[in-house]
Amino acid sequence: MKTPFVDFYNHHNISPVKQDIQDIEKHYNRRESLYHILGIPPILLSSKSILEFGPGSGHNSIYTAKLNPDKYYLIDGSKVGYDALKELFKNKNNIKLYYSLFEEFNLNEKFDLVIAEGCLPHQKEPIRLLKHISSFVNQKGILIITTANGISYLSETLRRLIRDKLNIQNETLENQLNQLRPIYSSHLKTLKNMSRPVDDWILDNIIQPLNTVKLLSIPEVIEALKDEFEFYNSSPSFKEEWRWYKDINTEDKGFNNEALKYYYQRNLNLIDYRFNLEKHTSDIGIEIESLCQTTWNIMCSIENNDMVFTWNDLFENLNLIQSKINLLLPSTALAILEILNWLKIGDIEKPLNNFSQWWGRGSQYVSFIKR
Ligand SMILES: C[S@@+](CC[C@H](N)C(=O)[O-])C[C@H]1O[C@@H](n2cnc3c(N)ncnc32)[C@H](O)[C@@H]1O
């Protein structure tokens, strides 16, 4: 797989990123809420220029297009996604579509808002792509991206390992889907307001090869962008601002450092969407982030069969994580113990009553302002 997402989608002629938007008002309301949390009142996008990377079949772009931007350019390398976009926006003069790889896209223009939703984590070189994508933001313009880290993705990393334990990764898509659907649909049912079809979720998150790609965490993004961008907002939100604005009077406004400080006091909340913890120490935040990044590395190693890590390393790592969070998050610790024991044996008949209800806050949305 040379280009993540694109090669898998195009090889199988799929775009597994659909959403249930039958209730279009509900869909618009959730997109409005997202923009609100990110600090971008939708009214401000009217007459602005917007560039979007990886819109897929355009379900989310319908909302952005409705906000009347002056121009709205969209780039995607998926054939099925691009054809759907062409159909969706066929009579829109302010909209331009590009069937291109991100890496190969170039234009001598800058935009007020640049969006890359759901397409930077799980790239081979997410930081390099992030820098390329962010180079299209106008001065004082806004960048919106999504991130995922070991903590937020832990429950899904372990769901991938269920498939790996069943040892069906070399079977056809259809065979894998038929075996995995009964397992994951009961898990997905516990997610309130899930808007993606079960098969799309399985194809994108479980069956798609992810063993050679990377996650992309908020601290990594801040580090990569800090010379040119200031952290603005995020969903979920964790930043606080207690400084007097008159004290913030230099070009570097320190928003990145403030964001990082508060991030590490709240990042344990990314592990389980059912709970909102009070602030914890940065030390535990940093430690859990590192342990869960190791879980991701172990999963990649098991899928690559490279023997850098083994199943025993996974069991040790999970034992450590559950013991560290046991007091703060007993239900999550219980779910980890349950899946740990399941993975040791891999008995498909054994129910996962606790684990099936555990999901992390998988993706985070982050907005930045260019200096
Ligand atoms: C997981 S989908 C996300 C779709 C949509 N933004 C969403 O959040 O529902 C990722 C999209 O990015 C596109 N994509 C990913 N990497 C790409 C690349 N290197 N070049 C072009 N398109 C890419 C894929 O084709 C796909 O449509």
Side-chain angles (χ1 to χ4, degrees):
M1 183 190 57
K2 203 166 142 266
T3 309
F5 298 104
V6 176
D7 288 349
F8 177 69
Y9 292 7
N10 286 347
H11 180 72
H12 296 288
N13 213 22
I14 53 174
S15 173
V17 295
K18 291 184 285 301
Q19 295 198 44
D20 178 1
I21 54 169
Q22 278 180 13
D23 185 345
I24 195 75
E25 281 309 314
K26 188 173 179 183
H27 181 59
Y28 288 161
N29 274 322
R30 55 185 178 228
R31 298 306 294 176
E32 189 172 285
S33 302
L34 173 65
Y35 279 54
H36 186 131
I37 297 171
L38 294 176
I40 306 162
I43 195 174
L44 294 188
L45 292 183
S46 165
S47 309
K48 293 289 182 292
S49 57
I50 305 178
L51 180 67
E52 176 157 4
F53 289 88
S57 315
H59 291 76
N60 296 331
S61 319
I62 304 173
Y63 172 75
T64 313
K66 192 175 87 78
L67 302 177
N68 276 327
D70 206 24
K71 59 181 162 190
Y72 184 19
Y73 293 179
L74 303 104
I75 302 116
D76 206 294
S78 140
K79 277 190 281 187
V80 175
Y82 179 74
D83 286 344
L85 290 170
K86 265 199 319 206
E87 183 57 29
L88 204 56
F89 295 129
K90 57 184 168 205
N91 297 320
K92 299 273 184 193
N93 295 332
N94 60 339
I95 294 184
K96 210 161 159 179
L97 307 177
Y98 294 85
Y99 176 52
S100 163
L101 289 179
F102 300 162
E103 298 77 344
E104 290 169 4
F105 177 77
N106 252 312
L107 200 64
N108 206 6
E109 257 180 84
K110 307 274 183 206
F111 294 77
D112 300 322
L113 173 65
V114 174
I115 306 170
E117 178 174 1
C119 56
L120 284 174
H122 298 164
Q123 294 284 354
K124 284 190 174 166
E125 294 186 80
I127 299 282
R128 196 167 66 85
L129 269 188
L130 169 70
K131 289 195 168 164
H132 178 57
I133 282 169
S134 65
S135 71
F136 294 97
V137 183
N138 246 333
Q139 262 201 346
K140 306 291 175 191
I142 297 177
L143 172 70
I144 298 179
I145 59 157
T146 50
T147 55
N149 70 1
I151 302 184
S152 71
Y153 211 69
L154 182 67
S155 64
E156 282 163 85
T157 307
L158 296 174
R159 285 190 169 87
R160 278 188 79 83
L161 284 158
I162 292 181
R163 191 277 310 257
D164 299 338
K165 191 72 192 179
L166 298 177
N167 209 11
I168 56 173
Q169 53 270 40
N170 296 325
E171 298 189 14
T172 62
L173 285 198
E174 214 39 56
N175 278 354
Q176 291 197 53
L177 274 173
N178 287 337
Q179 293 175 74
L180 297 174
R181 203 179 289 119
I183 302 176
Y184 298 120
S185 37
S186 64
H187 300 196
L188 288 162
K189 264 201 202 106
T190 69
L191 264 183
K192 290 188 301 234
N193 290 320
M194 161 84 174
S195 57
R196 285 179 83 180
V198 172
D199 280 11
D200 278 18
W201 182 86
I202 298 175
L203 284 166
D204 215 21
N205 292 282
I206 306 292
I207 299 183
Q208 175 172 196
L210 293 181
N211 41 319
T212 57
V213 302
K214 298 195 174 85
L215 297 170
L216 180 67
S217 69
I218 289 177
E220 285 171 323
V221 173
I222 292 178
E223 178 59 30
L225 297 181
K226 67 180 186 213
D227 291 339
E228 287 189 277
F229 286 84
E230 294 272 10
F231 182 94
Y232 183 33
N233 281 298
S234 65
S235 171
S237 176
F238 52 84
K239 82 166 191 189
E240 293 180 23
E241 187 52 81
W242 291 100
R243 296 173 300 165
W244 189 25
Y245 75 93
K246 291 192 180 178
D247 291 337
I248 311 175
N249 48 26
T250 48
E251 202 208 346
D252 178 348
K253 300 192 169 47
F255 290 119
N256 291 329
N257 283 342
E258 288 293 298
L260 267 184
K261 182 173 86 188
Y262 288 113
Y263 172 82
Y264 281 121
Q265 295 174 354
R266 284 281 161 91
N267 58 338
L268 202 42
N269 278 299
L270 299 177
I271 208 166
D272 194 325
Y273 87 114
R274 297 170 296 180
F275 305 109
N276 300 336
L277 293 176
E278 294 300 315
K279 277 186 198 162
H280 47 73
T281 64
S282 303
D283 286 350
I284 185 82
I286 291 169
E287 188 179 12
I288 298 290
E289 182 119 352
S290 159
L291 282 171
C292 294
Q293 174 61 44
T294 302
T295 321
W296 168 267
N297 296 343
I298 295 173
M299 181 277 290
C300 292
S301 172
I302 288 174
E303 292 193 2
N304 285 328
N305 209 6
D306 60 15
M307 303 308 281
V308 174
F309 291 107
T310 63
W311 285 95
N312 278 338
D313 294 316
L314 176 77
F315 303 146
E316 257 177 49
N317 164 267
L318 291 180
N319 253 324
L320 203 52
I321 294 174
Q322 75 79 24
S323 69
K324 300 264 174 204
I325 65 166
N326 195 12
L327 284 180
L328 288 170
L329 292 159
S331 303
T332 319
L334 198 63
I336 294 178
L337 273 181
E338 188 180 66
I339 189 67
L340 196 167
N341 287 325
W342 190 97
L343 288 170
K344 282 185 179 165
I345 296 159
D347 177 2
I348 196 144
E349 301 301 330
K350 198 159 188 274
L352 288 164
N353 298 328
N354 297 293
F355 179 73
S356 58
Q357 300 176 47
W358 168 39
W359 292 90
R361 292 185 161 98
S363 291
Q364 305 83 54
Y365 286 78
V366 195
S367 56
F368 285 87
I369 296 182
K370 186 153 178 177
R371 293 216 177 96

